Amino acid sequence: MPRLIFFCGHAGTGKTTLSHKLIGPLMQATGEPFCLLDKDTLYGRYSAAAMAAITGDPNDRDSPAYLDNLRDPEYQGLLDTARENLMLGISVLVVGPLSREVRAHQLTDPAWLHMPAGTRTQVVWVHLPEDEAHARIVRRGNPNDAYKLTHWEAYRTRRFMPDPAEYPELIFFDNLAPDAAALDRLLRTLAS
């Protein structure tokens, strides 16, 4: 059966970069086809148009207007697209913060996910210290981060680090300076 692998974590932790590094080796290690579904790629242009209409700011991805109107439908569409690929026998890497869903233990709940029976689901929590994530967000210079950076004190209240004892379903990955051995261990865990 196909695999559903989530790469979750807060902004600036390197979820997308990590998933790009691992998708080829995962296909090679498992012999399975994979697709990559990144929330920002799938919904970035749509969100820009919608937020320009709602708030006048096409780069807004963190205001209450975005969180109340677009966040959940984007994630629902992301999961619908994953489900469709899984039903076709294609394994899926899903990239997005999904912090509310992680906090609620929903990403490994088959009843909540509604994925095809037998889908193997894994959730990687990609993490960094807050100061390093902030520095990476500043360095990447993405206009979509402007609201977050301007309102960092409010944004940081939504950041959390799951306790491994309370979230045994998560695969924790420290992305501060992973070496080849750490990447290989993660690959082997995901490919097993």
Side-chain angles (χ1 to χ4, degrees):
M1 290 302 295
R3 303 164 192 259
L4 173 61
I5 303 173
F6 291 97
F7 284 81
C8 303
H10 300 297
T13 57
K15 301 176 297 293
T16 299
T17 301
L18 182 60
S19 66
H20 286 193
K21 283 181 186 175
L22 291 176
I23 192 167
L26 265 171
M27 287 190 283
Q28 186 173 18
T30 63
E32 301 167 14
F34 276 82
C35 72
L36 188 142
L37 303 177
D38 186 309
K39 185 187 81 70
D40 292 338
T41 303
L42 284 171
Y43 292 102
R45 291 178 190 265
Y46 168 79
S47 296
M51 291 311 293
I54 294 169
T55 68
D57 181 359
N59 298 314
D60 176 355
R61 296 297 184 285
D62 283 288
S63 73
Y66 171 82
L67 296 173
D68 293 344
N69 293 292
L70 293 183
R71 185 220 184 258
D72 290 346
E74 284 184 0
Y75 283 126
Q76 290 163 0
L78 187 65
L79 293 175
D80 289 343
T81 307
R83 189 176 303 110
E84 188 170 42
N85 278 277
L86 291 163
M87 290 173 71
L88 295 170
I90 300 167
S91 292
V92 181
L93 298 185
V94 172
V95 181
L98 291 149
S99 56
R100 287 184 199 169
E101 293 76 10
V102 167
R103 196 183 295 253
H105 301 273
Q106 292 173 314
L107 298 183
T108 54
D109 178 356
W112 186 83
L113 284 172
H114 303 291
M115 295 299 167
T119 299
R120 178 167 180 201
T121 304
Q122 295 168 294
V123 183
V124 179
W125 180 261
V126 184
H127 61 93
L128 285 175
E130 180 184 335
D131 59 338
E132 178 61 24
H134 184 272
R136 288 184 184 188
I137 292 169
V138 170
R139 279 195 305 269
R140 73 185 178 190
N142 186 328
N144 294 340
D145 293 324
Y147 187 95
K148 184 184 292 98
L149 290 171
T150 301
H151 302 87
W152 188 260
E153 288 306 310
Y155 168 72
R156 69 190 302 264
T157 65
R158 298 196 328 254
R159 288 180 53 92
F160 79 108
M161 180 60 187
D163 180 340
E166 294 178 31
Y167 294 87
E169 71 271 23
L170 301 181
I171 300 164
F172 291 88
F173 188 78
D174 182 343
N175 206 20
L176 185 58
D179 58 15
L183 289 168
D184 186 60
R185 281 192 301 274
L186 179 58
L187 174 63
R188 283 187 278 113
T189 298
L190 297 176
S192 65

